[in-house]
Amino acid sequence: MAAAKVKSLFIYPIKSCAGISVSQAPITSTGFRWDRQWIIVNSKGRAYTQRVEPKLALVRVELPNEAFFDDWEPNKSSYLVIRAPAMDVLKVPLTKPPETANGVSVWEWSGSALDEGDDASKWFSNYLGKPSRLVRFNEATEIRAVDPNYAPGYKVMFSDQYPFLLLSQESLDALYVLLEEPMPVNRFRPNILVNGCEPFSEDLWTEIKINNLTLHGVKLCSRCKVPTINQESAVAGSEPTKTLMNFRSDKVLRPNKKQQGKVYFGQNMVCTDSPTQGKKKSIKVGDPVYVFKMVSSPADAPA
């Protein structure tokens, strides 16, 4: 029997900007197609994130509806549409830009990326009030490997660490009971939201199948500052981290492991079924989730 089903799917085309809720999401070797394919960088090529630029939360993006069909390819009239408060609409062509930006870096990785041009640079520079450029991951020349200690052989674009983040609605509901005010799922930025399971079941899942795609849970997701940022106002507070620390910290979940002062919420995953030409697959809202392997407690899960 299915342990859960897919309730929602989210893709975040520009790292640290708003996500898009979709009914189906094509799988690629780096995660969902279009996910974290772009980043905004400063004058030194270093990526901006909400941790230091919370205004990025207010940047909304759109892709053509057909961009989430399995075999769709962009043409000259296909755009990434970007909006933000008090800003004109920016349209970025989805066709490959001709210019390259060197010296781009995000966390541990550095390399070259595709530069989306002066119009995008001016738009983000005006919005953030400092020199900025919008760049796209260049799959033709670059590889950004996942931490080999947890998932050797896998890769991402500009995601923080792993191709997929899975979270359950029941885990959110268990947190909401403890909060003075519930907060929307966009605080936690999952790719796959499931429901129909027990709270925090995803902690234990080490192998699941969705639409005949095998996903492995490789590391509990330790949470950074971003969930404390209101995605509608860009204002940071103390929650939910303050409450999570009481029952989702390594001290509580992993008392006999090395303590790092972290809180965990969600499961990082990789997909073992690499897409091949002519055999692209998607995950769809409503797909059942089957659990094939699991550990007995969060203390036994990689973190």
Side-chain angles (χ1 to χ4, degrees), residues 132 185 197 223:
S132 307
V185 67
C197 59
R223 306 311 304 227

Side-chain angles (χ1 to χ4, degrees), residues 14-158:
I14 306 177
K15 185 178 180 65
S16 268
C17 296
I20 302 172
S21 179
V22 298
S23 60
Q24 69 174 48
I27 295 283
T28 76
S29 60
T30 58
F32 285 141
R33 189 179 187 188
W34 309 114
D35 193 51
R36 277 85 169 197
Q37 193 162 341
W38 289 266
I39 53 170
I40 304 126
V41 297
N42 64 17
S43 58
K44 296 181 179 179
R46 190 72 181 165
Y48 287 125
T49 73
Q50 284 188 38
R51 296 166 180 83
V52 294
E53 293 293 343
K55 282 179 66 175
L56 291 176
L58 308 181
V59 176
R60 304 286 187 254
V61 298
E62 296 174 17
L63 284 165
N65 290 336
E66 56 270 24
F68 302 102
F69 298 161
D70 287 348
D71 298 314
W72 183 80
E73 292 299 331
N75 56 44
K76 291 182 179 180
S77 60
S78 306
Y79 296 94
L80 174 70
V81 180
I82 304 172
R83 294 180 170 88
M87 297 291 294
D88 292 335
V89 174
L90 173 66
K91 289 187 174 182
V92 176
L94 288 178
T95 51
K96 184 177 177 180
E99 300 298 323
T100 298
N102 294 312
V104 170
S105 60
V106 53
W107 305 127
E108 80 303 331
W109 178 89
S110 63
S112 65
L114 301 171
D115 194 312
E116 296 292 3
D118 291 342
D119 287 347
S121 174
K122 182 178 179 181
W123 194 95
F124 278 103
S125 297
N126 288 340
Y127 180 65
L128 294 175
K130 57 189 72 173
S132 307
R133 299 198 75 82
L134 179 67
V135 300
R136 187 191 310 197
F137 196 86
N138 189 355
E139 291 183 272
T141 63
E142 305 295 327
I143 293 176
R144 183 163 173 249
V146 168
D147 186 340
N149 293 316
Y150 292 93
Y154 292 92
K155 59 185 180 177
V156 291
M157 289 196 205
F158 292 130

Side-chain angles (χ1 to χ4, degrees), residues 126-257:
N126 288 340
Y127 180 65
L128 294 175
K130 57 189 72 173
S132 307
R133 299 198 75 82
L134 179 67
V135 300
R136 187 191 310 197
F137 196 86
N138 189 355
E139 291 183 272
T141 63
E142 305 295 327
I143 293 176
R144 183 163 173 249
V146 168
D147 186 340
N149 293 316
Y150 292 93
Y154 292 92
K155 59 185 180 177
V156 291
M157 289 196 205
F158 292 130
S159 300
D160 264 7
Q161 294 178 316
Y162 299 91
F164 304 96
L165 174 60
L166 182 146
L167 185 64
S168 73
Q169 182 64 50
E170 285 74 16
S171 299
L172 283 171
D173 293 342
L175 172 62
Y176 293 163
V177 169
L178 302 174
L179 294 173
E180 290 185 11
E181 294 184 11
M183 49 187 60
V185 67
N186 64 10
R187 291 281 194 108
F188 303 97
R189 302 177 73 81
N191 296 110
I192 304 169
L193 181 69
V194 304
N195 66 351
C197 59
E198 292 297 314
F200 310 109
S201 294
E202 63 270 27
D203 290 353
L204 311 179
W205 296 347
T206 56
E207 184 180 318
I208 65 173
K209 278 199 173 185
I210 306 175
N211 192 23
N212 288 319
L213 292 161
T214 301
L215 291 94
H216 286 184
V218 294
K219 188 175 186 287
L220 298 181
C221 182
S222 58
R223 306 311 304 227
C224 64
K225 177 184 176 182
V226 171
T228 68
I229 299 170
N230 185 312
Q231 300 294 292
E232 281 69 49
S233 67
V235 175
S238 61
E239 294 291 9
T241 303
K242 179 180 176 182
T243 295
L244 286 171
M245 190 62 76
N246 294 329
F247 76 115
R248 296 292 301 171
S249 68
D250 47 8
K251 183 178 181 180
V252 174
L253 296 179
R254 305 166 60 81
N256 298 321
K257 306 286 185 178

Side-chain angles (χ1 to χ4, degrees), residues 4-22:
K5 70 175 182 178
V6 176
K7 180 183 181 183
S8 304
L9 297 166
F10 302 97
I11 291 170
Y12 309 87
I14 306 177
K15 185 178 180 65
S16 268
C17 296
I20 302 172
S21 179
V22 298

